[in-house]
């Protein structure tokens, strides 16, 4: 039952992540840096604080008493994750939506799920890394081996989705706008590699901040708070997200302010010729929806644990949601049957990877 709840929560988080950008599509007369930072304030500051305020008992004392190295490491990983998010757009620009997303999500999935387990097997790195399973530990258990198989299935599914995207671009040449005209493979792959790796640092930040989550759990359990089950508290990770997202806010705020000063677009904030109230509300909706991905991720993590399984479930449901919106917007309407078969096969393998992760965390194997 815990595994099923974990999959449901991660699916809700993935659906939020795959949908959050949609409100930005109807923001009018605002430049990118304006709506990005307005929505970002909700994503990285306002909503994380509200979540902690409502769900985290004694959060002020926990932050005050936490080891400075824990907060510092968690925050730094958030800064690095923020850089990954900023370079995401450049990767898409030079590789196109289909290939770019497939490369970026593939790298993020792989690094986020297996990066720390592999590093824990190298020398004495396990002594300075956040606690958790090593690759050897995963290979030694049935559930660990099933998780590794699920990662392999997901990677094949992502490759097929990327191939289908390239096939779609060829099918639509001369028939539809939007084929990438700035395609630069080498430059795009380098940027996508950097972005994909750094985007996975959110997962590392969760591991780094675990002591803060454990402190919340102890308070919740000892005081018989609601939503305590099997020794875990459903919202214990929100305080970790608060610190990680401080880091993400720092990166994005510096970049956005620099762009606003460079492009002299600060007037957009009060430009009465634009639908100001509607724009602010749409950005608030986008930012809130973005934060919900990790709010639900944290809930899912309490049911099946952080690490490879949670990260892969999260990434899988993001990809599925993104593809759903692609079908909804008829992006695959005029492609060949071979292309359509390829994308369906890729999506099918991604769905299979979710099932495999559920099996890995079920009572059947544990």
């Amino acid at each position: 039952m815990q595994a099923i709840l974990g999959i449901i929560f991660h699916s809700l988080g993935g659906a939020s992540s795959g949908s959050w950008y949609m409100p930005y599509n109807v923001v009018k007369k605002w430049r990118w840096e304006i709506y990005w930072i307005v929505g970002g304030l909700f994503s990285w500051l306002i909503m994380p604080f509200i979540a902690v305020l409502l769900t985290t008992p004694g959060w002020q004392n926990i932050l005050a008493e936490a080891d400075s190295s824990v907060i510092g490491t968690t925050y730094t990983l958030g800064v690095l994750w923020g850089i990954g998010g900023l370079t995401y757009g450049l990767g898409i620009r030079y590789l196109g939506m289909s290939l770019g997303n497939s490369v970026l999500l593939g790298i993020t999935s792989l690094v986020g799920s297996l990066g720390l387990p592999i590093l824990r097997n190298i020398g004495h790195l396990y002594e300075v890394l956040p606690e958790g399973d090593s690759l050897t530990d995963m290979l030694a258990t049935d559930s660990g081996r099933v998780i590794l198989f699920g990662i392999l299935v997901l990677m094949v599914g992502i490759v097929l989705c990327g191939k289908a995207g390239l096939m779609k671009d060829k099918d639509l040449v001369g028939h539809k706008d939007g084929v990438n005209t700035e395609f630069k493979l080498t430059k795009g792959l380098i940027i996508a590699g950097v972005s994909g790796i750094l985007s996975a640092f959110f997962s590392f930040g969760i591991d780094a901040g675990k002591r803060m989550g454990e402190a919340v759990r102890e308070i919740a359990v000892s005081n018989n708070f609601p939503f305590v089950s099997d020794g875990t508290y459903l919202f214990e990770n929100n305080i970790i997200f608060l610190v990680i997202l401080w880091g993400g806010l720092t990166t994005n705020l510096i970049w956005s302010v620099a762009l606003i000063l460079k492009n002299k677009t600060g007037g957009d904030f009060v430009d009465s010729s634009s639908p100001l109230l509607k724009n602010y509300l749409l950005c608030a909706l986008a930012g809130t929806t973005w934060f919900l991905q990790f709010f639900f991720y944290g809930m899912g993590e309490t049911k099946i644990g952080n690490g490879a399984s949670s990260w892969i479930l999260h990434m899988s449901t993001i990809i599925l949601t993104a593809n759903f919106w692609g079908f909804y917007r008829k992006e695959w309407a005029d492609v060949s049957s071979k292309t359509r078969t390829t994308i369906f096969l890729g999506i099918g393998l991604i769905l299979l990877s979710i099932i495999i992760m559920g099996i890995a965390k079920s009572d059947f194997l544990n």
Side-chain angles (χ1 to χ4, degrees):
M1 184 60 185
Q2 297 301 307
I4 294 174
L5 286 174
I7 292 174
I8 291 173
F9 290 140
H10 281 306
S11 297
L12 291 171
S16 299
S17 180
S19 305
W20 70 271
Y21 201 86
M22 297 299 289
Y24 283 150
N25 292 327
V26 287
V27 170
K28 304 295 184 184
K29 296 185 178 182
W30 273 8
R31 267 64 67 95
W32 178 89
E33 57 267 27
I34 302 300
Y35 67 72
W36 184 258
I37 195 58
V38 172
L41 288 173
F42 282 86
S43 300
W44 311 309
L45 182 64
I46 297 172
M47 295 312 300
F49 177 72
I50 290 175
V52 165
L53 197 63
L54 294 177
T55 66
T56 308
W59 63 274
Q60 302 101 320
N61 291 333
I62 292 171
L63 289 177
E65 296 171 5
D67 192 306
S68 59
S69 64
V70 172
I71 292 181
T73 302
T74 306
Y75 171 81
T76 301
L77 290 169
V79 170
L80 294 171
W81 162 78
I83 296 173
L86 283 173
T87 52
Y88 183 94
L90 282 176
I92 299 299
R93 175 181 176 183
Y94 294 124
L95 294 179
M97 284 295 294
S98 300
L99 181 59
N101 272 305
S102 296
V103 172
L104 282 160
L105 292 174
I107 293 173
T108 301
S109 299
L110 197 60
V111 174
S113 59
L114 293 181
L116 288 180
I118 291 174
L119 289 175
R120 290 185 184 111
N121 272 128
I122 299 177
H124 293 278
L125 286 178
Y126 66 91
E127 296 177 357
V128 296
L129 292 172
E131 294 181 1
D133 290 337
S134 66
L135 184 60
T136 302
D137 294 330
M138 295 177 70
L139 289 169
T141 63
D142 290 337
S143 61
R145 288 190 291 269
V146 172
I147 289 171
L148 291 172
F149 177 65
I151 293 172
L152 176 62
V153 172
L154 173 64
M155 298 308 297
V156 174
I158 291 174
V159 169
L160 285 175
C161 287
K163 181 180 179 181
L166 293 175
M167 293 167 67
K168 182 187 76 170
D169 282 349
K170 291 180 180 178
D171 289 344
L172 299 181
V173 169
H175 300 285
K176 196 172 184 178
D177 293 334
V179 177
N180 186 27
T181 58
E182 295 185 280
F183 186 81
K184 295 179 182 179
L185 182 62
T186 302
K187 189 174 184 178
L189 288 175
I190 292 173
I191 294 173
V194 172
S195 178
I197 291 171
L198 293 181
S199 294
F201 277 41
F202 201 104
S203 177
F204 304 160
I206 297 173
D207 283 333
K210 270 300 172 188
R211 292 181 188 174
M212 292 184 289
E214 290 169 356
V216 174
R217 181 193 306 168
E218 289 177 6
I219 295 173
V221 171
S222 62
N223 288 279
N224 296 314
F225 270 73
F227 305 108
V228 171
S229 174
D230 295 331
T232 62
Y233 176 52
L234 191 62
F235 305 112
E236 63 190 48
N237 291 298
N238 285 338
I239 195 168
I240 305 174
F241 299 154
L242 182 70
V243 177
I244 296 175
L245 294 174
W246 284 343
L249 174 65
T250 302
T251 306
N252 284 273
L253 187 61
I254 291 172
W255 181 249
S256 296
V257 170
L259 284 179
I260 290 169
L261 294 175
K262 176 185 176 183
N263 299 329
K264 299 179 180 179
T265 52
D268 285 7
F269 288 116
V270 294
D271 184 2
S272 59
S273 68
S274 64
L276 284 177
L277 179 60
K278 182 179 179 181
N279 282 354
Y280 278 110
L281 289 175
L282 286 168
C283 289
L285 176 61
T288 301
T289 304
W290 184 94
F291 172 71
L292 287 176
Q293 67 171 306
F294 289 115
F295 182 76
F296 286 117
Y297 182 98
M299 294 166 68
E301 189 269 354
T302 63
K303 300 302 178 184
I304 60 178
N306 191 42
S309 53
S310 279
W311 193 249
I312 289 300
L313 282 169
H314 182 64
M315 298 306 300
S316 299
T317 50
I318 291 174
I319 299 167
L320 288 175
T321 304
N323 276 294
F324 165 79
W325 284 116
F327 283 111
Y328 175 79
R329 298 175 67 177
K330 303 186 184 305
E331 293 178 1
W332 300 87
D334 299 317
V335 301
S336 66
S337 59
K338 184 177 181 180
T339 299
R340 196 173 291 108
T341 299
T342 304
I343 186 64
F344 283 146
L345 183 58
I347 291 172
L349 287 175
I350 293 170
L351 281 170
L352 178 60
S353 73
I354 293 175
I355 295 171
I356 292 171
M357 290 298 163
I359 294 173
K361 288 296 180 177
S362 68
D363 295 335
F364 180 73
L365 288 178
N366 293 280

